[in-house]
Amino acid sequence: GNKQMELLSAWFCPYAQRAWMAMEIKCPGQFKVTEALKITDPEGVYSRDSLDRIPLLKESNPLGLVPVIIDRRSNKPMSICDSLICVEYIDEVFGDVDANKLLPGGPAQRAEA
């Protein structure tokens, strides 16, 4: 189906995995995952220079880093970048009660989480 939430990810990025897990918990079945980075080194060695980025990633995050959540549920699509900001966004947008929060409420508690 046509999903209005999209996660730009990379299988080898733990930060992208964190955002993916948050989405699986808070909004399962409501998003699609797009592999946005490929390692181009023939030996599979990771380095910033050996990455091929899809155009949508370059458009959505000028730094070319994953994760990026693209939220197209309103007239003005939004790109949310950075792993922790992605988790916070999903936690707030799909949160209904404090008992279901992924992160604690206060800044000091979040710093420890």
Side-chain angles (χ1 to χ4, degrees):
N2 184 14
K3 311 261 191 220
Q4 294 183 308
M5 300 280 289
E6 182 173 3
L7 174 65
L8 303 184
S9 187
W11 66 265
F12 52 85
C13 177
Y15 303 106
Q17 301 303 317
R18 176 165 63 175
W20 191 346
M21 284 187 282
M23 293 180 84
E24 287 289 353
I25 291 167
K26 300 294 276 196
C27 56
Q30 299 180 47
F31 65 96
K32 74 174 187 172
V33 179
T34 300
E35 201 66 23
L37 287 175
K38 274 191 200 147
I39 298 174
T40 57
D41 182 85
E43 314 243 333
V45 176
Y46 168 84
S47 74
R48 282 189 182 254
D49 297 331
S50 71
L51 295 177
D52 184 24
R53 293 163 172 84
I54 65 169
L56 182 58
L57 178 58
K58 294 175 189 174
E59 294 164 20
S60 305
N61 183 353
L63 297 176
L65 301 174
V66 294
V68 177
I69 294 172
I70 303 170
D71 188 346
R72 299 183 184 94
R73 294 174 304 146
S74 71
N75 293 348
K76 188 178 177 195
M78 260 181 18
S79 293
I80 299 92
C81 306
D82 187 83
S83 175
L84 185 55
I85 295 170
C86 286
V87 171
E88 289 173 344
Y89 180 80
I90 292 299
D91 207 17
E92 294 292 324
V93 170
F94 292 97
D96 44 4
V97 293
D98 288 340
N100 293 336
K101 291 287 185 191
L102 296 172
L103 297 168
Q109 294 166 311
R110 284 186 183 210
E112 290 179 1

